[in-house]
């Protein structure tokens, strides 16, 4: 079952077209990797899915993005949409407050004030991000004291706290060491049991390890998309093959 569909999606930064006729579907409870060279539209596309590009004045968008068969620009308030389609960025960005308050921030914004309910959400979210055992005895400590990998998992937990259905991850391991990267990859495999995950990555090995589906972007277009094993081992377009094998450009 597809949870997100894009139909003839175009995006312009002023007079520059950054996305061209994007038609992609995303299956529920899968990991989809968006690959391609820098500047090809991957992150722009990712930010379009939860209307982050609305914050840029010069952006113009046409075409459709459907979330659960409803148009995200006509049928959803952007705040509610971003609650249901959460985002984790390239660099960890914890708030300068306690670990507990980082997780509780979103639920509080959405009206949850009960302490026992917040305690439950904080624990559940940290368990969900594979961080609970490492921080359960220091929840009142400042989140900025965590390692980079722990901070990134905290950002995942903060997103999970508002109970999204989709997680967008924009190169979430690019600033992390190999051990922290492995933990995030293992986490994604667990997360897809409950959520739909869409990840931008430049790491071909990572895309091959973690994703069920892959889409190859080039110059604002989707060259090829499908099951990851097909894209990696039986690509239909030579540009896809060249990019994956390192012969591109």
């Amino acid at each position: 079952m597809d949870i997100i569909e894009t139909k003839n999606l175009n995006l312009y930064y002023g007079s520059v077209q950054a996305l061209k006729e994007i038609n992609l579907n995303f299956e529920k409870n899968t990991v989809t990797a968006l690959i391609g060279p820098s500047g090809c539209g991957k992150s722009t596309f990712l930010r379009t899915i939860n209307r982050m590009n609305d914050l840029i004045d010069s952006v113009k968008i046409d075409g459709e993005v459907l979330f659960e068969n409803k148009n995200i620009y006509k049928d959803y308030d952007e705040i509610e949409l971003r609650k249901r389609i959460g985002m984790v960025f390239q660099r960890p960005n914890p708030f300068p407050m306690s670990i507990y308050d980082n997780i509780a921030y979103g639920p509080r914004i959405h009206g949850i004030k009960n302490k026992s309910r917040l305690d439950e959400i904080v624990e559940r979210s940290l368990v969900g991000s594979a961080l609970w055992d490492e921080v359960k005895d220091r929840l009142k400590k400042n989140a900025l004291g965590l390692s980079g990998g722990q901070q990134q998992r905290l950002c995942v937990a903060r997103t999970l706290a508002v109970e999204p259905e989709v997680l967008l991850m924009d190169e979430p391991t690019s600033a992390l060491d190999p051990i922290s990267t492995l933990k995030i990859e293992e986490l994604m495999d667990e997360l897809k049991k409950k959520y739909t995950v869409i990840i931008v990555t430049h790491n071909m090995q990572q895309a091959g390890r973690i994703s069920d589906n892959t889409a190859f972007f080039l110059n604002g277009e989707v060259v090829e998309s499908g099951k990851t094993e097909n894209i990696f081992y039986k690509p239909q377009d030579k540009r896809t093959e060249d990019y994956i094998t390192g012969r591109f450009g």
Side-chain angles (χ1 to χ4, degrees):
M1 174 184 169
D2 293 329
I3 190 169
I4 293 174
E5 301 174 65
T6 65
K7 298 182 178 181
N8 302 319
L9 178 67
N10 296 284
L11 181 142
Y12 303 82
Y13 292 118
S15 60
V16 177
Q17 187 169 4
L19 296 176
K20 305 168 186 174
E21 296 291 316
I22 305 295
N23 291 281
L24 277 177
N25 293 1
F26 297 90
E27 296 177 58
K28 200 170 185 178
N29 300 114
T30 59
V31 177
T32 299
L34 309 181
I35 64 172
S38 296
C40 68
K42 305 182 301 296
S43 293
T44 295
F45 175 74
L46 199 72
R47 291 193 299 269
T48 302
I49 294 174
N50 71 343
R51 295 184 58 177
M52 291 292 286
N53 287 321
D54 289 19
L55 304 172
I56 303 172
D57 290 338
S58 63
V59 164
K60 175 177 173 278
I61 298 170
D62 60 55
E64 289 185 303
V65 181
L66 304 180
F67 172 53
E68 296 189 329
N69 296 314
K70 293 182 180 178
N71 190 306
I72 67 168
Y73 292 99
K74 296 177 180 177
D75 302 321
Y76 289 99
D77 169 82
E78 62 265 32
I79 302 302
E80 174 64 19
L81 182 73
R82 290 175 197 145
K83 177 177 181 286
R84 298 179 66 187
I85 303 179
M87 190 158 189
V88 177
F89 296 92
Q90 184 172 358
R91 293 190 175 275
N93 59 342
F95 302 140
M97 55 180 69
S98 72
I99 294 168
Y100 184 100
D101 287 338
N102 262 270
I103 308 302
Y105 183 87
R108 283 172 175 152
I109 289 290
H110 290 284
I112 297 174
K113 307 297 183 186
N114 181 274
K115 176 69 164 56
S116 61
R117 177 76 178 115
L118 288 171
D119 289 348
E120 177 189 327
I121 290 170
V122 168
E123 180 173 348
R124 187 195 69 233
S125 302
L126 288 168
V127 169
S129 66
L131 192 56
W132 174 251
D133 288 341
E134 296 171 44
V135 302
K136 62 185 178 183
D137 297 323
R138 47 181 175 142
L139 295 178
K140 297 302 180 184
K141 299 286 187 182
N142 195 304
L144 299 180
L146 297 173
S147 71
Q150 289 174 324
Q151 287 186 15
Q152 191 65 301
R153 281 183 285 148
L154 178 70
C155 292
V156 172
R158 190 174 65 196
T159 303
L160 298 183
V162 296
E163 300 184 349
E165 290 149 72
V166 177
L167 275 176
L168 309 178
M169 307 182 85
D170 192 359
E171 295 191 64
T173 64
S174 65
L176 303 182
D177 61 81
I179 293 173
S180 297
T181 294
L182 180 60
K183 287 186 177 181
I184 294 288
E185 290 182 2
E186 290 172 345
L187 174 58
M188 279 187 272
D189 197 49
E190 282 299 308
L191 288 173
K192 76 176 182 181
K193 294 174 183 176
K194 290 186 177 180
Y195 311 96
T196 301
V197 181
I198 305 173
I199 176 174
V200 167
T201 180
H202 280 104
N203 186 322
M204 292 303 95
Q205 291 78 18
Q206 180 176 79
R209 284 192 299 265
I210 66 169
S211 67
D212 303 288
N213 303 301
T214 296
F216 172 50
F217 279 67
L218 184 63
N219 299 326
E221 301 179 66
V222 175
V223 172
E224 194 169 348
S225 65
K227 295 294 182 185
T228 294
E229 60 265 28
N230 292 334
I231 297 298
F232 274 69
Y233 300 110
K234 294 181 283 185
Q236 300 300 302
D237 192 292
K238 189 172 187 307
R239 292 170 296 175
T240 309
E241 180 181 356
D242 288 348
Y243 183 75
I244 287 170
T245 57
R247 297 195 299 267
F248 186 83

